[in-house]
Amino acid sequence: MQFFVLNLFVILVNALGQVRDFVRSALYDPEHGYFSQRSGSVGVLDSSIKFNQLEGRKAYMKHLDKIYKQSDISWFTPVELFKPWYAHGIAEAIMRTANLSVPLKIYEIGGGSGTCAKGIMDYIMLNAPERIYNNMTYVSVEISPSLAQIQKETVGQVRSHSSKFRVECRDAAEKGGWGHGEQQPCWVIMLEVLDNLPHDLIYSENQDSPWMEVWVEKQQDRLESYADCTAEMCCSSLCGLFSKSMIAPVSDLWHVRGGTPFFKKETLSELYKPLEDNLITRCIEVVEWGKDHTQGSGMLRSIWSKVFPRPRRCWLPTGCLKLLEVLHEKLPKMSLIASDFSFLPDVKIPGERAPLVSTKKDGQSQDYTSYLDAKGDADIFFPTDFQLLERIDHYCSGWLKMQKDKSSKQGKKRRTITLDSSSFMEEFGLPTKTRTKDGYNPLLDDFKNTKFYLSVPTHNTK
């Protein structure tokens, strides 16, 4: 009887889930996520930059280049580059508008290295009435265990801060982690957090076709080996594999591989499904709030799609929607300060509000052309549409829903303002501290693509 070594080349297809699940895993998976395995994904400066001793922009850029090469990290956040002055500006904004008749409580979501927390607590200790500092509480909600540890070490450099500061290592968007919440006035700070929140992707064949959810599916090319097989056993194995919904032809790979199955490669691709997800549907509702949906505009769009048909791709900040829904429910009297990128340059990935996917190898930044290439080795960060952020804020407060239902003439529950970072720092910060000898000021002149969003409750809250 003749025996063979049978090797079968097959493809296994598994639907991984929605795009937001992929983004969350790529960034925050405990073992393989970008922020979980790289505590150095956000840099920490050994000491503050002495801007007043630098000659000008050229000297500053040279100094910055030297810092990046020495640290070999992905990037430094503004609060780190301009410490302590950036955090001091945020602290001043809080002190001017906080209700100081109740103990000051601050939540920071995604606190990075703890530089912001320490800077704010330093400022309040030095500039606020003693009772404000003594009675304050600062809670950092951090999803990354490695960054949580760094935050404790950073804030702990000032002994008196330690009793007022704590880190809760959890996902701020999960409602259960907030317990009964906080019914007293408090502050929430989010610096460069919105850009790393999970997003969903929707797709349409043309301008007039309905939106579809985008899912990520995984294909695994596998080579299975069967040693000492008879011809009948080979046929039986083939039939068995096809009965398991394998979707690729078998090729003539008759090579000995030790008789054990192994995977050759794994590829990811997109899968389009009809809209069903409630979070995506609600986010689309907010995105399209106020748009013209009259019959005339629909007819014009239909004609246009037939004359110039083109597919549409739109990224939705579903992670932001979920987070703000939780915050409004658990912290109904919160005041919010958020800062992030309003646009990103040289984005290679298609779609409205598309992310920049970037990694750093051998000291050089490398941008990917597909978000599916990010598998724990790259940062995925999105631009923030601040007008949309304001609408999401009003939606989560309940006011936008009431306007749609026309069930109430009650005024807005939030008072909001969006400022360029330079305008915010000129109002609340100390710009003279970051000015070089020739007048160049990177705090005001750079980061033109960043903004601050401030949102405080009005008397219309319940």
Side-chain angles (χ1 to χ4, degrees):
M1 183 179 292
Q2 188 174 6
F3 288 87
F4 303 90
V5 174
L6 173 64
N7 287 277
L8 302 177
F9 185 57
V10 296
I11 295 179
L12 301 173
V13 177
N14 298 308
L16 289 183
Q18 288 149 317
V19 171
R20 66 172 179 260
D21 299 322
F22 175 82
V23 173
R24 182 187 296 108
S25 178
L27 292 176
Y28 304 112
D29 181 86
E31 294 183 6
H32 308 292
Y34 178 75
F35 288 108
S36 299
Q37 61 178 331
R38 295 191 178 199
S39 60
S41 55
V42 177
V44 181
L45 293 177
D46 293 332
S47 59
S48 301
I49 298 175
K50 295 179 174 57
F51 295 95
N52 299 149
Q53 296 180 10
L54 297 174
E55 196 62 41
R57 178 178 174 82
K58 186 176 180 180
Y60 168 72
M61 296 305 293
K62 184 177 180 180
H63 181 72
L64 206 58
D65 184 60
K66 178 183 177 182
I67 292 173
Y68 271 106
K69 287 181 178 178
Q70 288 176 342
S71 60
D72 194 35
I73 55 92
S74 300
W75 76 299
F76 288 102
T77 60
V79 74
E80 190 70 36
L81 283 176
F82 303 111
K83 68 179 180 184
W85 316 116
Y86 196 91
H88 286 187
I90 295 171
E92 175 62 21
I94 292 174
M95 293 305 300
R96 285 194 203 176
T97 53
N99 178 3
L100 299 180
S101 64
V102 297
L104 179 61
K105 189 164 191 176
I106 300 173
Y107 292 93
E108 184 179 3
I109 298 174
S113 63
T115 297
C116 181
K118 181 180 181 297
I120 288 175
M121 296 184 78
D122 286 347
Y123 186 87
I124 293 173
M125 179 180 67
L126 296 173
N127 296 281
E130 188 175 349
R131 65 176 179 83
I132 303 299
Y133 174 73
N134 290 338
N135 295 323
M136 76 173 294
T137 304
Y138 199 113
V139 181
S140 174
V141 182
E142 176 58 58
I143 197 171
S144 168
S146 56
L147 289 176
Q149 183 58 39
I150 293 174
Q151 290 170 25
K152 292 178 185 177
E153 295 170 0
T154 300
V155 177
Q157 293 171 11
V158 178
R159 184 177 299 177
S160 61
H161 290 350
S162 297
S163 61
K164 303 167 181 60
F165 177 83
R166 73 173 186 269
V167 182
E168 296 180 0
C169 196
R170 58 184 175 86
D171 185 350
E174 293 300 325
K175 190 185 301 185
W178 293 94
H180 296 297
E182 176 61 65
Q183 301 304 312
Q184 292 297 317
C186 61
W187 283 84
V188 174
I189 300 171
M190 297 191 294
L191 305 182
E192 289 80 47
V193 170
L194 300 173
D195 60 353
N196 283 133
L197 289 179
H199 282 55
D200 272 291
L201 178 61
I202 53 178
Y203 169 83
S204 173
E205 291 182 351
N206 57 57
Q207 300 93 314
D208 199 40
S209 297
W211 287 113
M212 303 181 76
E213 298 175 11
V214 179
W215 286 55
V216 177
E217 67 176 13
K218 176 172 62 177
Q219 292 187 351
Q220 293 174 324
D221 299 354
R222 188 170 78 180
L223 191 63
E224 289 201 0
S225 301
Y226 300 87
D228 299 332
C229 292
T230 64
E232 290 78 7
M233 292 168 64
C234 289
C235 291
S236 176
S237 298
L238 286 171
C239 293
L241 283 169
F242 280 120
S243 70
K244 296 177 183 176
S245 301
M246 304 303 177
I247 62 167
V250 180
S251 59
D252 294 327
L253 298 176
W254 296 83
H255 305 288
V256 178
R257 288 291 188 273
T260 56
F262 64 92
F263 289 95
K264 293 188 69 176
K265 65 178 181 178
E266 177 181 289
T267 58
L268 299 174
S269 60
E270 292 182 346
L271 184 68
Y272 307 121
K273 295 185 177 185
L275 279 181
E276 292 182 351
D277 183 77
N278 183 259
L279 185 59
I280 292 177
T281 303
R282 284 185 285 120
C283 199
I284 292 175
E285 178 186 348
V286 180
V287 169
E288 296 187 345
W289 173 264
K291 288 186 178 180
D292 186 2
H293 295 290
T294 61
Q295 185 176 357
S297 66
M299 187 178 293
L300 181 62
R301 187 169 58 250
S302 179
I303 295 172
W304 188 262
S305 67
K306 292 176 181 177
V307 178
F308 301 105
R310 61 180 179 85
R312 296 183 296 163
R313 295 168 69 86
C314 180
W315 292 86
L316 300 174
T318 46
C320 174
L321 174 59
K322 181 181 178 182
L323 175 59
L324 285 182
E325 283 182 332
V326 170
L327 293 178
H328 275 282
E329 179 179 341
K330 295 297 185 178
L331 311 173
K333 295 183 180 179
M334 71 164 178
S335 295
L336 172 66
I337 295 181
S339 176
D340 232 303
F341 296 94
S342 55
F343 72 91
L344 297 171
D346 305 321
V347 174
K348 298 179 179 179
I349 294 168
E352 187 178 356
R353 292 183 292 272
L356 187 66
V357 181
S358 181
T359 188
K360 193 170 185 181
K361 296 180 179 178
D362 301 324
Q364 298 294 322
S365 294
Q366 177 183 333
D367 295 341
Y368 291 155
T369 56
S370 171
Y371 69 96
L372 295 175
D373 292 332
K375 299 171 183 175
D377 63 336
D379 194 0
I380 306 174
F381 48 107
F382 297 82
T384 297
D385 182 337
F386 281 85
Q387 288 185 331
L388 177 56
L389 173 62
E390 183 181 23
R391 288 206 299 275
I392 292 174
D393 192 16
H394 287 309
Y395 178 87
C396 295
S397 74
W399 177 78
L400 208 61
K401 298 175 187 176
M402 291 190 296
Q403 296 303 299
K404 181 181 178 181
D405 298 337
K406 298 181 180 179
S407 59
S408 172
K409 293 183 179 180
Q410 188 180 36
K412 292 180 179 179
K413 295 185 176 184
R414 310 289 298 176
R415 188 168 67 251
T416 65
I417 187 172
T418 300
L419 297 170
D420 292 332
S421 291
S422 57
S423 299
F424 179 90
M425 287 300 167
E426 284 179 328
E427 176 65 30
F428 300 109
L430 292 170
T432 56
K433 298 294 186 178
T434 55
R435 185 182 299 152
T436 61
K437 291 181 179 179
D438 67 357
Y440 164 69
N441 193 328
L443 178 62
L444 304 181
D445 300 334
D446 294 348
F447 294 97
K448 294 292 187 182
N449 60 336
T450 62
K451 295 179 184 291
F452 273 85
Y453 176 75
L454 287 78
S455 170
V456 299
T458 68
H459 63 278
N460 294 312
T461 56
K462 291 181 180 180

